[in-house]
Amino acid sequence: MFGRKKPVTGARDATTATEQESQTPSTTGPHDRSSVGDVPGYYTSLGYGHIDLGSLVIGVPKGRDLNVALDPNGQPEFHVVTQVSRVIPRAFAAPKSAGQWRTMVTGMREQLEQQGADVSVEDGPWGRELVAVMPGAVFRAIGVDGHRWTAEVRIMATPELADQAAEEGREVFQHLLIHRGDGPMPVREQLPLTIPDEIQQALTQAQSQLAAQQQAQAYQQQMAAGQTGQPGSAGQTRQPGPAGQTQAQSPASQEARASRNPQAQPAAPAASPAPDSAPRAPRRDGSAMDRLRDGDDDL
């Protein structure tokens, strides 16, 4: 009369499958780091190298270089580079509700249009992609909102290679791992990076070289102006400002190559939504963009 209870094995199996699926990172990425149990194994299975920066893990596909440079504020940012593209991944704190990436796109568009760029918004695999066309250069920004974080890559290339560069940027983007942490952070603040010691030493050396270049440049400008320089005034003229200021003023920017094989450990503009300047044709070492100017020294 009451019938027999239906077996619940199938329901339990479905629940188990759902739980396992939720613990397995999706193929689209970027992923929350907590969803990947074995970070080195994740990248090994892809055939990638990687660098673990704490809040951000960057996978480096085979045949690409990983470079580290100082942004205009003197902060390190990591670039995945080829002869075709320069890809700069970054991650930001975000509110629980989605929509931060849309706001960031709006801000970038306004800034780029003020700089005279031809800006459009295209539909990509993750939604909105911002594309800015400038003389001799194409800048593309791809982003997505995650769990209290927003991930982004900025891609710079020459116009004739822009489509290929976009695919290279998407390949890096989909395999980023983000660790937001539980502490409070202002929204849109860039997640702090943990820099490996060897890379930090190279950055310190780059900052020292940049300061020396700034001193030499200031002295040359003083001499050109006919001020041979009394010892007191020369000392004031040669005094460099903060690292970010000297980089913005100096014609040379220092870049440290982290590794040609990032899997051998150790071996993003917190800031401004607009690129520092337009890229130009790639050089042989893959350091292609104008924002890393002619004075680049690989360390």
Side-chain angles (χ1 to χ4, degrees):
M1 179 176 178
F2 294 102
R4 292 188 303 170
K5 291 183 180 180
K6 294 182 180 180
V8 295
T9 305
R12 288 175 180 169
D13 290 344
T15 301
T16 302
T18 301
E19 290 175 351
Q20 290 176 346
E21 184 177 354
S22 67
Q23 294 172 1
T24 303
S26 67
T27 56
T28 55
H31 311 299
D32 197 285
R33 182 172 179 151
S34 62
S35 69
V36 179
D38 179 7
V39 171
Y42 172 74
Y43 289 106
T44 298
S45 67
L46 295 169
Y48 285 17
H50 74 283
I51 183 167
D52 190 338
L53 302 169
S55 64
L56 178 65
V57 187
I58 303 172
V60 184
K62 185 177 180 180
R64 305 189 195 180
D65 284 345
L66 179 67
N67 292 357
V68 57
L70 301 177
D71 71 12
N73 297 317
Q75 299 302 311
E77 61 183 15
F78 290 78
H79 304 179
V80 180
V81 297
T82 69
Q83 295 290 332
V84 172
S85 67
R86 177 171 295 273
V87 179
I88 307 174
R90 300 189 301 164
F92 304 87
K96 292 181 180 179
S97 58
Q100 176 163 275
W101 175 243
R102 178 186 292 267
T103 302
M104 292 172 66
V105 167
T106 301
M108 279 190 281
R109 182 169 194 165
E110 291 175 354
Q111 286 197 6
L112 288 163
E113 287 178 340
Q114 289 174 2
Q115 296 172 12
D118 182 8
V119 186
S120 61
V121 176
E122 300 179 359
D123 288 331
W126 291 271
R128 291 170 170 248
E129 297 184 2
L130 182 140
V131 181
V133 179
M134 298 162 278
V138 175
F139 166 82
R140 181 182 296 265
I142 301 172
V144 70
D145 293 324
H147 177 59
R148 299 179 64 211
W149 50 258
T150 298
E152 174 200 66
V153 292
R154 298 182 174 198
I155 306 162
M156 291 182 276
T158 51
E160 64 273 13
L161 299 173
D163 291 341
Q164 184 179 345
E167 291 307 311
E168 291 186 355
R170 293 185 183 110
E171 187 177 5
V172 173
F173 184 64
Q174 70 176 333
H175 296 297
L176 295 176
L177 301 182
I178 316 298
H179 177 59
R180 159 65 172 78
D182 298 327
M185 287 185 68
V187 297
R188 296 186 66 176
E189 180 173 307
Q190 189 168 351
L191 299 183
L193 303 178
T194 302
I195 310 298
D197 289 341
E198 292 185 17
I199 296 178
Q200 186 60 60
Q201 292 173 7
L203 286 170
T204 300
Q205 181 180 357
Q207 288 172 324
S208 298
Q209 292 176 350
L210 192 62
Q213 289 180 358
Q214 179 67 14
Q215 287 179 339
Q217 184 185 33
Y219 182 72
Q220 291 171 359
Q221 290 173 346
Q222 183 186 47
M223 294 296 290
Q227 299 175 1
T228 55
Q230 299 299 321
S233 61
Q236 293 176 357
T237 304
R238 298 179 189 180
Q239 182 64 34
Q245 294 179 5
T246 55
Q247 169 137 1
Q249 296 168 4
S250 171
S253 148
Q254 298 296 326
E255 177 174 316
R257 175 159 303 162
S259 175
R260 287 192 176 272
N261 179 16
Q263 199 160 7
Q265 297 282 335
S272 145
D276 300 332
S277 61
R280 65 169 185 271
R283 297 206 307 265
R284 289 177 299 171
D285 65 355
S287 301
M289 303 306 152
D290 191 43
R291 64 187 312 285
L292 301 174
R293 303 171 181 84
D294 294 336
D296 288 3
D297 289 329
D298 289 331
L299 301 177

